[in-house]
Amino acid sequence: MEAIQVGLLGLGTVGSGVVKIIENHQDKLMHQVGCPVKVKKILVQDLNKKRDVDVDPAQLTTNADDILQDPDIDVVIEVMGGIEETRNYLLKALSEKKHVVTANKDLMAVYGSELLTAASANGCDLFYEASVAGGIPILRSLVDGLASDRITKMMGIVNGTTNYILTKMSKHGRAYEEVLKEAQELGYAEADPASDVEGLDAARKMAILATLGFSMKIDLDDVKVEGITRITEEDIQYGKQLGYTMKLIGIAHREGEKVEVSVQPTLLSDSHPLASVNDEYNAVYVYGEAVGETMFYGPGAGSLPTATAVVSDLVGVMKNMRLGVNGANAVTPQYQKKLKGPDEIYSKFFLRLHVKDEVGVFANITSIFSEHSVSFEKILQMPLKENGLAEIVLVTHQASLQDYEDILVKLRDLNAVHEIKSSYRVEGSARI
Ligand code: NAP
Ligand code: HSE
C-alpha cells in the first residue's frame, strides 16, 4: 500500500505538533484513509536548531523546491507563517498539483480568494481550519454543520494570547508585560506579538469567519480593529463592579443585507457564555435564524491543539483523494458585500471621564447625551484625589455608533471635561 507523502513547510510550535500527531495517530489515520502517511521533507530556516520533536536530519531542508518540486509529495502543509514568500510557495505547490493545508490566517485573510481559485483551477484542495481558533473545528461547522441555516451573528474570542493576558490581569491582578512574556514562552503569541495585542490577528480571523458565515467576501480592511494595549486595571475593575468582564471580542453581525465586522476590547455582560472563556481558550458564539444560539469552545492556540486541526484537514484531503473529488470544495461567496455605516451599528457604551467637580457639570454632560436621545443605564460618580476633579463612569442604553462618536466630540470640547479616560463597547445583555 503506497504511503501518502507530505511536505511540511515549518517545524516550529505547530509543525512539531503535526509531526507528533502523524506519528502517534498513525493507526487511526491508516484506518480512516486506508494507507500510511509519511512526512517526507521539512522546510526550516536553521538546520542546526534544537527541535521539540525527533526528526531524521536528512528530512530537513532549507530549499523549498525540495518539497514543491518533488513529484512524490502529494500534500504540502504550510506552518511557517508569513505572507508574500508563503503565497509564492503555495501558488507553486498548487501549480504542481499538490494539495495544501495551512494554519496561516495572515495569508488567508489577504490572499485567500486567490489561493482558493488557484486550488480549484488545479483540481486541488486547500484547507485552512487551523487558521481560526486553533483546535476548534469552527470553519467546518460554519460551512458544513450549519450549511442549511442563515447565520446572522458571530461573536468570537479568537485570539488566545490576548485572552490569556486579559484573564491573568483580571483574575490575578498581574501586570500586562509579564503575562505577555509568559504567553510568548507558552507558544501562543505570533512571531511579532504586536499582531496579537493590536487586534490584527483577531481581525484576520474575523474576516475569514465573516466571509464563510455570511457568504460574502469580507476583506481585512472592512474590519474595524482595536487591540488591548490601552486597557487599564481601573477599566477592568469598574467593569467587574458593574457586572462585566473585559474581553477582546470579534463581532460579525448581519442585519438584512448589511454587515458589520469589528474587533475591539469589549465589556461583556457576566451572564454571556463568552464571559467565562478564560486563558488561551477561544470560543465562537454563532447565532443562526433556525438553530438559534450555538457556541464552539476549545483551545485557540498551542502546538497539539492547532496541529489537530491541521492533521484533520490532511485527513479531509486524503479522503477526497480516495474519492477522486479534490478541488470540488471551493465556496464562492453568494452575496455582494454591503457594509453598515456608523449610523446603522447599535450597541451600549461604557465611558469613564474625569470632570471638574463643580455645580452644573453633570447637567451639561447629560444634556449632550439628551441632544442625541441617548440615555444612561448605569452611572457611578466619585471625587478624585486630584485637585477639584471627579470621576464619572457610565454605561449607556443602546445607541448608534454615529451618535456616540458625535457625543464624544462634544464632550471633548466641553470645558468641564478634563479628560476622557476610556471608552468601550458593551455587549452581551441581549444575545442577538
Ligand atoms: P513558529 O514556531 O515560529 O515556527 C515557524 C517555523 O517555520 C519554524 O520552524 C521556522 O524555521 C520555519 N520558517 C519560518 N520562516 C521560514 C522561511 N522563510 N523559510 C523556511 N522556514 C521558515 O510558528 P508557529 O507558532 O508554529 O506558527 C506557524 C503558523 O501557524 C503561523 O502562520 C501561525 O499564525 C499559525 N498558527 C499558530 C498557532 C500557534 O498556537 N502557535 C495557532 C494557529 C495558527 P526555524 O525553526 O528553523 O526557525
Ligand atoms: N497568536 C495566535 C493566538 C495563535 O494567540 O490566538 C493562534 O492563531
Side-chain angles (χ1 to χ4, degrees):
M1 202 182 324
E2 219 177 309
I4 300 269
Q5 309 260 17
V6 172
L8 203 54
L9 307 182
L11 187 60
T13 305
V14 183
S16 306
V18 168
V19 172
K20 285 179 195 164
I21 292 182
I22 290 178
E23 272 174 24
N24 298 343
H25 298 185
Q26 192 62 225
D27 282 355
K28 179 162 189 195
L29 296 177
M30 270 277 279
H31 179 72
Q32 294 197 52
V33 298
C35 65
V37 184
K38 191 169 173 283
V39 177
K40 184 171 183 198
K41 228 30 185 192
I42 306 172
L43 178 73
V44 294
Q45 292 177 114
D46 179 356
L47 293 172
N48 300 315
K49 196 168 171 179
K50 194 171 167 330
R51 302 286 161 188
D52 281 348
V53 66
D54 284 334
V55 288
D56 179 349
Q59 279 178 286
L60 300 182
T61 178
T62 53
N63 180 0
D65 282 340
D66 288 347
I67 292 172
L68 304 176
Q69 294 197 329
D70 181 341
D72 294 338
I73 289 181
D74 308 289
V75 186
V76 170
I77 294 183
E78 185 275 302
V79 282
M80 60 181 259
I83 301 184
E84 297 302 332
E85 185 185 22
T86 320
R87 165 183 173 252
N88 292 337
Y89 286 170
L90 296 192
L91 285 173
K92 192 162 183 188
L94 292 167
S95 71
E96 296 289 332
K97 314 282 182 211
K98 297 182 194 311
H99 309 291
V100 169
V101 172
T102 177
N104 190 334
K105 57 265 164 175
D106 307 21
L107 177 75
M108 289 308 291
V110 180
Y111 291 120
S113 39
E114 179 193 18
L115 289 164
L116 287 164
T117 306
S120 189
N122 286 291
C124 292
D125 285 333
L126 166 54
F127 293 149
Y128 50 103
E129 181 63 70
S131 66
V132 180
I136 309 173
I138 181 64
L139 302 189
R140 246 174 249 285
S141 301
L142 290 179
V143 172
D144 295 332
L146 294 169
S148 62
D149 206 356
R150 185 172 193 275
I151 292 163
T152 52
K153 189 165 186 180
M154 289 174 280
M155 282 173 71
I157 294 176
V158 290
N159 182 269
T161 303
T162 46
N163 204 40
Y164 187 84
I165 295 171
L166 290 177
T167 304
K168 299 296 181 206
M169 285 174 72
S170 157
K171 290 201 182 298
H172 309 285
R174 294 183 55 199
Y176 171 87
E177 290 295 348
E178 173 192 307
V179 195
L180 168 59
K181 195 160 169 282
E182 200 170 279
Q184 288 177 279
E185 284 161 5
L186 288 165
Y188 303 148
E190 296 302 301
D192 177 1
S195 70
D196 294 293
V197 298
E198 299 297 349
L200 191 58
D201 176 79
R204 288 169 169 148
K205 292 167 177 168
M206 289 309 297
I208 295 171
L209 282 179
T211 296
L212 290 177
F214 299 151
S215 197
M216 194 182 276
K217 176 77 189 81
I218 301 295
D219 298 308
L220 190 55
D221 289 346
D222 302 325
V223 186
K224 185 172 172 263
V225 193
E226 191 191 323
I228 65 164
T229 49
R230 70 179 177 88
I231 297 174
T232 66
E233 177 58 26
E234 286 94 329
D235 297 328
I236 293 174
Q237 291 310 326
Y238 273 124
K240 275 190 189 173
Q241 204 177 325
L242 295 168
Y244 303 112
T245 305
M246 184 72 81
K247 294 286 182 192
L248 185 71
I249 298 288
I251 295 179
H253 195 188
R254 165 157 69 178
E255 283 172 300
E257 296 183 322
K258 291 194 170 178
V259 304
E260 68 149 313
V261 187
S262 63
V263 168
Q264 66 237 294
T266 301
L267 284 164
L268 198 63
S269 169
D270 287 340
S271 61
H272 194 280
L274 286 174
S276 51
V277 175
N278 289 320
D279 296 319
E280 77 279 17
Y281 277 78
N282 281 193
V284 184
Y285 168 93
V286 180
Y287 191 90
E289 281 178 354
V291 74
E293 292 180 279
T294 57
M295 193 160 104
F296 302 83
Y297 170 81
S303 179
L304 288 176
T306 310
T308 306
V310 172
V311 180
S312 296
D313 273 352
L314 174 63
V315 170
V317 169
M318 293 188 298
K319 285 182 173 170
N320 284 349
M321 284 168 80
R322 214 163 57 163
L323 296 169
V325 293
N326 298 102
N329 280 317
V331 185
T332 320
Q334 185 180 356
Y335 302 106
Q336 277 292 106
K337 174 166 69 188
K338 287 189 185 154
L339 299 174
K340 288 189 202 178
D343 55 333
E344 296 168 299
I345 296 172
Y346 279 79
S347 141
K348 297 179 182 183
F349 297 94
F350 167 103
L351 182 62
R352 183 157 71 90
L353 300 167
H354 283 184
V355 300
K356 288 184 184 160
D357 199 357
E358 290 169 359
V359 174
V361 168
F362 195 70
N364 286 343
I365 291 171
T366 50
S367 76
I368 291 178
F369 280 82
S370 301
E371 283 165 26
H372 292 270
S373 306
V374 176
S375 56
F376 304 138
E377 183 178 283
K378 297 174 182 172
I379 303 173
L380 299 172
Q381 181 171 356
M382 276 95 12
L384 283 172
K385 288 198 187 92
E386 290 164 57
N387 25 347
L389 291 182
E391 182 157 71
I392 293 178
V393 174
L394 58 88
V395 177
T396 69
H397 281 295
Q398 291 282 339
S400 78
L401 182 58
Q402 184 67 67
D403 276 321
Y404 184 67
E405 283 175 349
D406 291 346
I407 288 169
L408 290 185
V409 170
K410 288 182 185 172
L411 287 175
R412 276 193 194 98
D413 284 348
L414 204 63
N415 196 28
V417 172
H418 179 71
E419 191 180 352
I420 294 180
K421 295 298 286 185
S422 54
S423 167
Y424 300 99
R425 190 158 164 166
V426 173
E427 286 285 333
S429 355
R431 299 278 173 81
I432 52 165

